[in-house]
């Protein structure tokens, strides 16, 4: 089993919704666009925490709906939403649907309300940082760290809060999610030439890369299989940039 099981659960949830065929098709396009996201990671993290299959699929589906809502918002903002017709008109409605599917699915995943509240607070902060990013014209080390910490670190902290609540891994959720999110974010920016890091002075770029690399190495010491699998591609990218 893998992230494909979560994706199939996501499609079942959409199929059972009150949406008509055309609206379902729009939602599925947005879900397909997010398939390179945390599907496999969410399944691996839930399985390592010992979740029962039904809880794993429900929590994993909720995480993926939330991720796809954020991904769609980012694609619309960047002019990269090529998968929806007239995205600036249809995209907001699809995003609204995805966010509410996430909350509806959380209710079936035995996630306590206080955990949902903490995860939602993290995601609100992440979305706020995205607004701040859009207004940034000159990148500094502090600004780059803030984006990585908030948009990525808090987002993955929220996802692990949801996946690991009530399991032996719950105490590690916020720390592991933050570290993984930051490391993955910096590695991706390095690999894609994003100005958030490539626009920095060389000493600042090295400082940010070292910060992310050290977080990744610290995470590796916890010997979590789901984290280690992600770090296998992240750490080499960070070290190659030093």
């Amino acid at each position: 089993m893998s992230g494909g099981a979560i994706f199939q659960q996501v499609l079942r949830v959409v199929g059972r919704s009150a949406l008509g065929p055309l609206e379902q098709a729009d939602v599925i396009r947005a879900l397909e666009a997010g398939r390179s996201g945390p599907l496999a990671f969410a399944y691996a993290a839930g399985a390592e925490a010992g979740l029962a299959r039904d809880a794993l699929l429900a929590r994993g589906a909720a995480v993926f709906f939330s991720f796809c809502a954020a991904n769609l918002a980012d694609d619309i903002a960047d002019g990269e939403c090529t998968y929806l017709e007239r995205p600036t008109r249809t995209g907001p409605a699809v995003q609204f649907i995805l966010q509410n599917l996430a909350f509806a699915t959380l209710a079936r995943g035995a996630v306590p309300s206080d955990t949902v509240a903490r995860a939602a607070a993290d995601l609100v902060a992440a979305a706020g940082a995205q607004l701040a990013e859009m207004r940034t014209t000159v990148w500094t080390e502090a600004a780059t760290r803030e984006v990585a910490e908030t948009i990525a670190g808090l987002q993955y902290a929220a996802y692990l809060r949801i996946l690991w609540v009530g399991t032996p891994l719950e105490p590690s959720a916020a720390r592991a999610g933050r570290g993984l999110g930051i490391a993955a974010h910096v590695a991706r920016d390095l690999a894609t030439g994003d100005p958030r890091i490539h626009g920095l002075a060389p000493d600042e770029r090295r400082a940010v890369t070292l910060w992310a690399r050290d977080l990744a190495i610290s995470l590796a010491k916890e010997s979590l299989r789901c984290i280690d699998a992600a770090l296998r591609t992240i750490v080499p990218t960070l070290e190659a940039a030093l």
Side-chain angles (χ1 to χ4, degrees), residues 58-238:
R59 294 183 187 188
V63 163
F64 188 62
F65 279 129
S66 180
F67 171 83
C68 288
N71 186 64
L72 175 57
D74 188 57
D75 283 349
I76 292 172
D78 293 342
E80 296 175 354
C81 182
T82 59
Y83 43 88
L84 292 178
E85 184 180 0
R86 296 186 299 169
T88 57
R89 289 183 60 82
T90 61
V94 174
Q95 182 189 0
F96 191 35
I97 291 167
L98 291 167
Q99 288 171 322
N100 283 286
L101 286 172
F103 282 110
T105 310
L106 279 175
R108 298 184 175 90
V111 178
S113 60
D114 59 337
T115 299
V116 175
R118 286 196 297 270
D122 285 345
L123 294 172
V124 167
Q130 188 176 21
L131 286 173
E133 179 192 7
M134 292 175 191
R135 297 186 175 101
T136 300
T137 56
V138 178
W139 286 99
T140 64
E141 180 183 343
T144 296
R145 283 177 180 257
E146 180 68 18
V147 166
E149 177 95 41
T150 312
I151 292 180
L154 287 183
Q155 187 173 173
Y156 272 79
Y159 295 159
L160 286 183
R161 286 186 195 278
I162 289 166
L163 289 164
W164 286 354
V165 65
T167 76
L169 296 181
E170 181 178 0
S172 300
R175 181 179 68 257
R178 172 185 175 272
L180 180 62
I182 290 169
H185 176 88
V186 174
R188 185 176 183 277
D189 279 1
L190 285 166
T192 60
D194 196 287
R196 287 181 298 224
I197 192 160
H198 287 277
L200 299 177
D203 59 332
E204 291 184 319
R205 184 164 61 249
R206 178 176 173 81
V208 172
T209 304
L210 278 170
W211 170 56
R213 195 277 308 270
D214 290 347
L215 283 172
I217 290 174
S218 178
L219 275 180
K221 295 176 182 176
E222 299 195 22
S223 299
L224 292 166
R225 293 186 304 277
C226 60
I227 300 290
D228 289 343
L231 294 180
R232 279 196 287 271
T233 57
I234 291 170
V235 172
T237 300
L238 296 172

